[in-house]
Amino acid sequence: MPVRVRARALAVAALLLATGGTATACGDAGGLRSAGPTPTAEGPALLWPALPPASSPAYEIGEVEREVVKGVRVPGGNVHTVDPVAVVRAEIDAHPRDYEGSGARFRETGARMAECAAGPGRGGCPVLAPYYRDLTGDGHDDLTLGFRQLPGELTAVRVYTVENGRLVRVMLWDDAVSGVELAGRSVIIRSPSEVKGYEYRLQWSWDPEQRAMLLTHDEMLRTGGRGPSATSSRVPSPAESR
């Protein structure tokens, strides 16, 4: 906002405060007009004060997700040298029941890993193109990785950092995904809702004390006229709580 416009806005605000929000026109069409009475501010009301506070969470969604990825080398300690396909293969190897065999939940993902010779994001490879950004604030890029959980509509979203030459997973989420964004030290995932015209918006942000991405915002937001999705998934999959 230009300085002169900002100064005028401040002057208007001061006048409104001085007159209790009842400033009126000053004789021309461009003058001040009343916006009506200001609603009385109300503080939060404490409900059921005698209710004993819970001592443990009712559900586990993996609030702190940290795990060293075994079998994946990090040449030079640079995450750009890590093969994203090898990272996904390491997760598949760690959970074979989910990916191997005709009855596996994500059997198609396991089968289509053979199509990743050309690299992520190409052909039928379920591994999506990787993204690199410093999410931990240590001055070095971290790896944000996604791969399709097939058959079905789930997408796995992961964040990895490098600590002492080891690749460490610091965020994990599986869901029906409408979009993923990186903003500052945060990962934002949008997912469809069963409610028409709304979507879920979840934000994970880096926490230096836990050394992990924590779920810091969980919102249901209006999007417009989009209808409900039969594949929406608000509850994390069993793979998410392993």
Side-chain angles (χ1 to χ4, degrees):
M1 181 185 295
V3 173
R4 62 179 180 276
V5 177
R6 185 163 58 244
R8 181 177 178 182
L10 291 173
V12 170
L15 178 59
L16 287 174
L17 288 174
T19 59
T22 59
T24 57
C26 298
D28 63 1
L32 299 176
R33 295 183 181 277
S34 173
T38 302
T40 302
E42 295 185 11
L46 178 63
L47 306 186
W48 308 301
L51 185 69
S55 59
S56 61
Y59 305 102
E60 169 132 10
I61 63 170
E63 287 90 346
V64 179
E65 173 59 40
R66 275 183 58 86
E67 182 176 304
V68 175
V69 180
K70 298 179 180 178
V72 177
R73 298 177 62 252
V74 188
N78 184 348
V79 76
H80 288 266
T81 65
V82 173
D83 179 6
V85 174
V87 175
V88 176
R89 284 198 174 113
E91 181 165 331
I92 291 175
D93 291 344
H95 307 283
R97 289 188 300 175
D98 287 335
Y99 296 94
E100 299 176 5
S102 60
R105 297 170 61 234
F106 307 130
R107 57 191 177 276
E108 191 174 329
T109 294
R112 286 174 55 179
M113 289 300 293
E115 303 180 39
C116 293
R122 299 182 180 180
C125 180
V127 183
L128 306 177
Y131 285 85
Y132 301 90
R133 176 179 287 195
D134 179 11
L135 295 173
T136 62
D138 64 357
H140 302 284
D141 279 346
D142 302 295
L143 168 63
T144 302
L145 188 59
F147 59 97
R148 303 287 288 140
Q149 299 280 38
L150 305 169
E153 297 295 329
L154 293 181
T155 299
V157 180
R158 311 284 189 262
V159 174
Y160 302 88
T161 191
V162 178
E163 294 182 359
N164 300 319
R166 301 181 301 173
L167 189 68
V168 181
R169 187 179 66 205
V170 294
M171 181 230 163
L172 176 154
W173 190 254
D174 297 343
D175 207 343
V177 171
S178 302
V180 181
E181 305 169 35
L182 300 180
R185 302 281 183 261
S186 298
V187 178
I188 300 168
I189 299 178
R190 294 183 292 107
S191 298
S193 165
E194 295 87 352
V195 181
K196 183 178 179 179
Y198 288 82
E199 70 177 4
Y200 294 111
R201 182 183 183 275
L202 288 79
Q203 177 174 327
W204 279 261
S205 301
W206 174 252
D207 186 285
E209 293 186 6
Q210 299 297 329
R211 300 203 59 77
M213 307 289 291
L214 301 186
L215 181 57
T216 53
H217 291 83
D218 184 349
E219 303 174 293
M220 189 175 186
L221 301 176
R222 187 167 182 82
T223 61
R226 285 216 310 251
S229 169
T231 58
S232 60
S233 172
R234 183 62 188 86
V235 180
S237 72
E240 195 275 328
S241 59
R242 288 195 298 262

